[in-house]
């Protein structure tokens, strides 16, 4: 108990038992929370029921209008306290959410969290440990350290030699990997003096790599143009011959290849770059190997799919995201390095957080492992989930979603109005709607004669089709563009992360896509 809880002063803002302001911690916290959590759960039910689908129907402004009267722009915030704010706003939040627990919500690497993980996260919110110093998070510090060792083992690193930290996600993990690469290859003076004159750093990543690689290069003072985009094959796997050529070119141009980024599960197709071949090339040129497994890391849980990530243990650093293929509420990112000593340049000492004498006395603080200072105990929900389901239990969920993707691909193939881009690798199916002029054999003989078969028109049709489904609140389907240039690259995608979705749900969703496409075509033909 802190001294303010003993204070005799009880202002009129105080409520709850004994006139005290209800807080979430301590012995009395759970009682204060219980009633509010019950209320919140009721509001979640009511809101979801009112939505009645994967996303609220209507235009974005219609949703914005429902919040009018709740927010009081320009008015005194204290003019009218709203006792029901939690209930009303939770209901609105639930109503207005894109809910990945609905089988028709399958656009992004945005999964439905497991109930047990969310319950664990509630405990974290209530206790509010902060991982920047031991004295703000004794148990959470121990648990994160142990979880990182377990995950290092899962990746194939030697747990005694590896190190890592929980992050906000792949974006932060990729930034950290490239930061350590920069400091390792160019020297730690970069931290003090910036880039030495005349050095031309280069990062090699495939053209299907995540955009956060470019952003990290910009933040690290390397410049986005330091990132060389290596071409990919149809599945969006990096072409290792093109990587070899790009590295040879770097050497000829006097550029310094500081890192090769391999993607283990591209955001769009789930493609996995050839890790061993890339590791050989990175080693040959003395570059750091960062493996971005933000999506594909989940395959490590599955006996069937884990071999796809063979070679990941050769990485210098790895990004994993359990808020993607791991059924955790956001955020649940993990950054790992194979050799703890390469972590050195992140270490920071702050007199008020991790004084050296405390550490020597056996009080470890995790401050020096993260770019952040205050940091939630995101490790806890992951640790609880892993213990509840086990690796095999999570692997089964991965396999279910992988099977679902394969059956979805088959369902795309048997619908003449749809075109499959490639076989699913993990849990994503990439396809597009083809207008009847492109699928009708008579019209196909003279494709250029019909405007609908024009690649730009097919792109527009697919993009509009997706918005129609959003507006109608019927489905949340992904939309992307394949790498390259020119028209004809727009694709739709289903990112299947819901283990309760059935093959019949997906078949119905694809029928909805086809119907929406035909309706748009008919409307165009009339206008
Ligand atoms: C999602 C994703 C990221 C970004 O991760 P966040 O958790 O959104 O920051 C990076 N790389 C890949 C391959 C991804 O799929």
């Amino acid at each position: 108990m802190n001294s303010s809880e003993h204070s005799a002063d009880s202002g009129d803002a105080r409520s709850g038992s004994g006139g005290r302001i209800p807080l979430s911690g301590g012995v009395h916290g759970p009682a204060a929370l219980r009633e509010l959590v019950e209320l919140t759960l009721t509001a979640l039910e009511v809101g979801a029921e009112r939505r009645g689908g994967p996303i609220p129907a209507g235009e974005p402004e219609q949703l914005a209008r429902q919040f009018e009267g709740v927010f009081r722009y320009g008015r005194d915030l204290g003019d009218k306290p709203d006792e029901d704010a939690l209930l009303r706003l939770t209901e609105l939040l639930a109503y207005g959410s894109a809910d990945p627990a609905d089988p028709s919500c399958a656009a992004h690497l945005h999964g439905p969290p497991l109930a047990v993980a969310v319950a664990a996260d509630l405990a974290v919110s209530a206790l509010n440990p902060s991982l920047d110093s031991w004295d703000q998070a004794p148990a959470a510090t121990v648990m994160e350290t142990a979880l990182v060792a377990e995950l290092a083992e899962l990746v194939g690193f030697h747990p005694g030699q590896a190190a890592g930290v929980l992050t906000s996600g792949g974006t932060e993990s990729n930034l950290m990997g490239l930061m350590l690469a920069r400091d390792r290859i160019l020297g730690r003076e970069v931290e003090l003096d910036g880039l030495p004159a005349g050095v031309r750093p280069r990062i090699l990543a495939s053209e299907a790599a995540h955009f956060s690689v470019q952003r990290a290069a910009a933040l690290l003072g390397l410049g986005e143009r330091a990132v060389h985009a290596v071409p990919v094959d149809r599945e969006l796997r990096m072409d290792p011959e093109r990587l070899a050529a790009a590295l040879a070119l770097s050497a000829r141009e006097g550029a310094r290849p500081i890192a090769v980024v391999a993607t283990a599960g591209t955001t769009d197709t789930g493609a996995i770059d050839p890790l061993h071949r890339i590791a050989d090339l990175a080693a040959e040129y003395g570059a750091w190997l960062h493996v971005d497994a933000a999506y594909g890391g989940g395959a490590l849980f599955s006996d069937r799919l884990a071999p796809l990530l063979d070679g990941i243990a050769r990485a210098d650093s790895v990004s994993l995201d359990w808020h993607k293929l791991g059924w955790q509420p956001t955020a649940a990112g993990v950054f790992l390095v194979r050799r703890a000593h390469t972590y050195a340049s992140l270490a920071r000492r702050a007199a008020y957080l991790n004084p050296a004498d405390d550490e020597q006395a056996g009080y470890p603080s995790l401050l020096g492992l993260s770019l952040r200072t205050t940091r939630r105990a995101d490790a806890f929900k992951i640790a609880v989930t892993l213990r509840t389901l086990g690796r095999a239990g999570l692997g089964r969920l991965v396999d279910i979603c992988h099977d679902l993707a394969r059956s979805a691909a088959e369902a795309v193939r048997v619908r003449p109005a749809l075109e499959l881009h490639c076989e699913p690798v993990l849990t994503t199916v990439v396809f597009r709607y083809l207008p009847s002029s492109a699928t009708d054999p008579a019209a196909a003989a003279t494709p250029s004669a019909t405007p609908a078969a024009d690649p730009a028109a097919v792109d527009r049709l697919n993009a509009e089709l997706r918005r129609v489904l959003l507006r109608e609140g019927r489905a949340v389907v992904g939309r992307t563009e394949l790498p390259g240039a020119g028209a004809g690259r727009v694709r739709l995608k289903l990112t299947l992360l819901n283990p309760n979705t059935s093959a019949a749900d997906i078949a119905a969703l694809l029928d909805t896509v086809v119907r929406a496409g035909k309706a748009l075509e008919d409307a165009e033909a009339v206008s």
Side-chain angles (χ1 to χ4, degrees), residues 1-8 14 20-21 23-28:
M1 272 204 188
N2 65 50
S3 59
S4 69
E5 285 187 78
H6 293 295
S7 161
R14 294 183 170 213
R20 297 200 300 188
I21 294 173
L23 303 176
S24 61
V27 177
H28 303 295

Side-chain angles (χ1 to χ4, degrees), residues 423-511:
E423 284 306 313
V425 183
L426 297 170
T427 67
T428 301
V429 185
V430 179
F431 65 102
R432 65 175 165 172
Y433 176 80
L434 288 179
S436 46
S437 53
T439 51
D440 171 7
T446 53
S448 55
T450 51
D454 159 35
V458 178
D459 283 353
R460 280 195 301 277
L461 183 60
N462 277 275
E464 179 56 19
L465 176 170
R466 191 187 79 95
R467 281 188 295 271
V468 166
L469 296 175
L470 276 181
R471 252 192 317 268
E472 293 176 351
R474 289 156 73 82
V476 190
V477 173
R479 172 224 200 262
T480 191
E481 282 168 34
L482 299 173
R489 294 183 301 113
V490 170
R491 292 294 181 279
L492 303 175
K493 61 172 181 169
L494 299 180
T495 310
L496 301 169
L497 298 173
N498 183 344
N500 291 333
T501 299
S502 67
D505 291 330
I506 296 301
L509 176 54
L510 291 172
D511 287 338

Side-chain angles (χ1 to χ4, degrees), residues 222-500:
L222 307 172
E224 291 199 20
R225 291 206 178 101
V227 182
H228 178 107
V230 181
V232 292
D233 64 14
R234 182 181 168 82
E235 232 177 65
L236 270 56
R237 276 180 304 218
M238 184 192 281
D239 177 344
E241 297 316 315
R242 304 294 291 268
L243 174 63
L247 283 163
L249 180 70
S250 296
R252 279 201 304 282
E253 291 179 349
R256 215 43 202 283
I258 63 171
V260 178
V261 178
T263 308
T266 56
T267 312
D268 274 342
T269 62
I272 296 163
D273 288 344
L275 300 179
H276 276 298
R277 186 80 180 90
I278 292 172
D280 290 343
L281 285 165
E284 185 183 333
Y285 285 85
W288 179 278
L289 175 62
H290 177 73
V291 175
D292 180 356
Y295 175 18
L300 294 168
F301 294 127
S302 153
D303 286 338
R304 189 206 299 172
L305 296 180
L308 294 174
L309 265 58
D310 197 34
I312 192 172
R314 296 174 65 187
D316 292 293
S317 57
V318 169
S319 304
L320 304 168
D321 264 2
W322 304 127
H323 52 257
K324 290 177 175 171
L325 203 47
W327 297 278
Q328 299 300 303
T330 304
V334 177
F335 173 70
L336 298 171
V337 298
R338 180 162 46 84
R339 297 162 298 168
H341 65 91
T342 58
Y343 223 124
S345 62
L346 261 164
R348 284 290 177 277
R349 184 138 336 262
Y352 76 104
L353 292 172
N354 61 343
D357 51 326
D358 267 6
E359 295 206 339
Q360 277 150 20
Y363 288 88
S365 292
L366 302 185
L367 176 74
L369 295 173
S370 179
L371 287 171
R372 288 185 274 165
T373 305
T374 302
R375 194 159 61 79
R376 288 185 96 243
D378 289 321
F380 184 67
K381 60 201 174 195
I382 305 170
V384 169
T385 303
L386 266 169
R387 250 126 221 96
T388 307
L389 278 79
R391 174 181 173 269
L394 280 164
R396 208 169 57 80
L397 300 187
V398 171
D399 288 348
I400 288 171
C401 292
H402 178 238
D403 287 341
L404 194 59
R406 290 201 299 186
S407 86
E410 187 53 31
V412 166
R413 235 189 322 258
V414 301
R415 284 168 174 74
L418 301 179
E419 176 197 64
L420 182 69
H421 177 65
C422 60
E423 284 306 313
V425 183
L426 297 170
T427 67
T428 301
V429 185
V430 179
F431 65 102
R432 65 175 165 172
Y433 176 80
L434 288 179
S436 46
S437 53
T439 51
D440 171 7
T446 53
S448 55
T450 51
D454 159 35
V458 178
D459 283 353
R460 280 195 301 277
L461 183 60
N462 277 275
E464 179 56 19
L465 176 170
R466 191 187 79 95
R467 281 188 295 271
V468 166
L469 296 175
L470 276 181
R471 252 192 317 268
E472 293 176 351
R474 289 156 73 82
V476 190
V477 173
R479 172 224 200 262
T480 191
E481 282 168 34
L482 299 173
R489 294 183 301 113
V490 170
R491 292 294 181 279
L492 303 175
K493 61 172 181 169
L494 299 180
T495 310
L496 301 169
L497 298 173
N498 183 344
N500 291 333

